[in-house]
Amino acid sequence: MSDKSYVLNVGVDRLSMKQAVQRAENIIRGLEPAGIVVTANAEMVMLAQKDADFAAIMRNAALVVPDGAGVVWAAKYLGMPLTERVAGYDLTQQLLARAAASGYRVFFLGAGPDVANQAKAAAESRYPGINVVGTQDGFFTSQEEGPLIRRIAELKPDILFVALGVPRQEKWLTRHFSELTTPLCIGVGGTFDVMAGRVKRAPVWMQRAGLEWLFRLLCQPERLFRMAALPKFVLHVLRSK
Ligand code: UDP
């Protein structure tokens, strides 16, 4: 089991990308209990402050990886540095590469009509031999939900990638986890949009400078309202020391 760093009472696993992938594979192989992987950013840590259900989801997650530069900064500032940033997009790519190499079955759930299929096509060209056993867009109705869960359970993926946005993806996975019977479930936000080529990822220099949030804001100005959580997060962290 890994150590955790605590940022505003939210535990984040202190792991390198390599170790995160190893833990994920342990879960797939049944060497560790099945569970949900949460990719934590500042917005999610702030949400956990006021949403007790979401805080519990983060507490009970099989893995909480530091997706956001803000979380990495805060842990260091608070004297509990994390190993490195483990971005959800990058973790997804690593897991897809492992899936292709080891024959793990994967399912893509979420994002707009056709995006999950385009992400599947992208995965198939990037990771030859990968077995994407099914896809479903993220705009299903409540009547479609039961059949969808049964379909996923029957297809028996080893990894279920869910892109329904935060916190819906984590709450949906938690609510249906026992029926899904998938050992490893992970909320991946905008990952399918990037894989499908609909949304660009920040250039590497911006990722390294901890400015991916700024890039996303410039590309999707409608995110401004959500990003109001960022300065609040910084203030809370500064005060919590
Ligand atoms: N989404 C969805 N169903 C919904 C709402 C959103 O499938 O009802 C998808 C949306 O198309 C996008 C993803 O969820 O692909 C959320 O992406 P975002 O970049 O907002 O991720 P976050 O910042 O929440 O991790």
Side-chain angles (χ1 to χ4, degrees), residues 7-241:
V7 175
L8 304 179
N9 288 321
V10 173
V12 182
D13 286 294
R14 228 181 272 145
L15 296 166
S16 64
M17 173 65 82
K18 206 172 157 195
Q19 290 168 323
V21 172
Q22 184 60 57
R23 290 280 308 276
E25 288 205 80
N26 288 348
I27 294 169
I28 293 167
R29 293 181 176 166
L31 304 173
E32 285 189 45
I36 296 168
V37 179
V38 175
T39 67
N41 61 24
E43 199 186 316
M44 292 158 89
V45 170
M46 289 312 285
L47 182 62
Q49 308 303 303
K50 55 179 188 203
D51 180 337
D53 291 339
F54 192 67
I57 289 172
M58 292 192 86
R59 205 166 40 244
N60 297 326
L63 275 180
V64 178
V65 298
D67 171 64
V71 171
V72 176
W73 162 78
K76 190 173 175 197
Y77 176 80
L78 296 170
M80 292 175 285
L82 291 155
T83 311
E84 62 180 339
R85 181 177 173 221
V86 179
Y89 178 85
D90 296 326
L91 179 59
T92 300
Q93 303 314 304
Q94 297 279 332
L95 291 174
L96 291 173
R98 293 304 311 148
S102 300
Y104 303 142
R105 299 160 67 83
V106 306
F107 192 105
F108 289 172
L109 165 61
D114 277 347
V115 177
N117 282 326
Q118 288 167 4
K120 174 181 189 255
E124 286 166 348
S125 82
R126 216 178 284 171
Y127 309 105
I130 192 156
N131 190 3
V132 183
V133 294
T135 64
Q136 164 66 47
D137 73 64
F139 294 85
F140 49 88
T141 64
S142 50
Q143 288 95 315
E144 289 165 331
E145 188 168 85
L148 167 64
I149 291 166
R150 283 192 288 281
R151 177 158 77 95
I152 295 172
E154 278 160 20
L155 287 167
K156 295 195 187 313
D158 298 293
I159 315 175
L160 172 58
F161 295 93
V162 181
L164 298 174
V166 173
R168 191 175 158 216
Q169 58 199 22
E170 288 78 17
K171 292 191 171 182
W172 192 87
L173 278 172
T174 302
R175 201 173 327 123
H176 301 297
F177 187 70
S178 59
E179 307 152 79
L180 287 162
T181 65
T182 306
L184 189 75
C185 298
I186 173 167
V188 294
T191 292
F192 297 161
D193 295 288
V194 177
M195 289 180 70
R198 304 245 175 158
V199 172
K200 271 213 169 68
R201 189 127 192 252
V204 173
W205 72 266
M206 279 185 106
Q207 293 179 37
R208 291 212 178 115
L211 292 175
E212 189 151 21
W213 60 274
L214 178 63
F215 182 87
R216 293 189 85 182
L217 182 59
L218 293 172
C219 296
Q220 298 166 274
E222 65 279 7
R223 297 179 76 93
L224 182 63
F225 178 71
R226 293 173 48 177
M227 286 195 176
L230 266 173
K232 275 192 208 156
F233 171 78
V234 172
L235 277 178
H236 270 69
V237 171
L238 293 176
R239 264 194 247 132
S240 78
K241 191 164 174 172

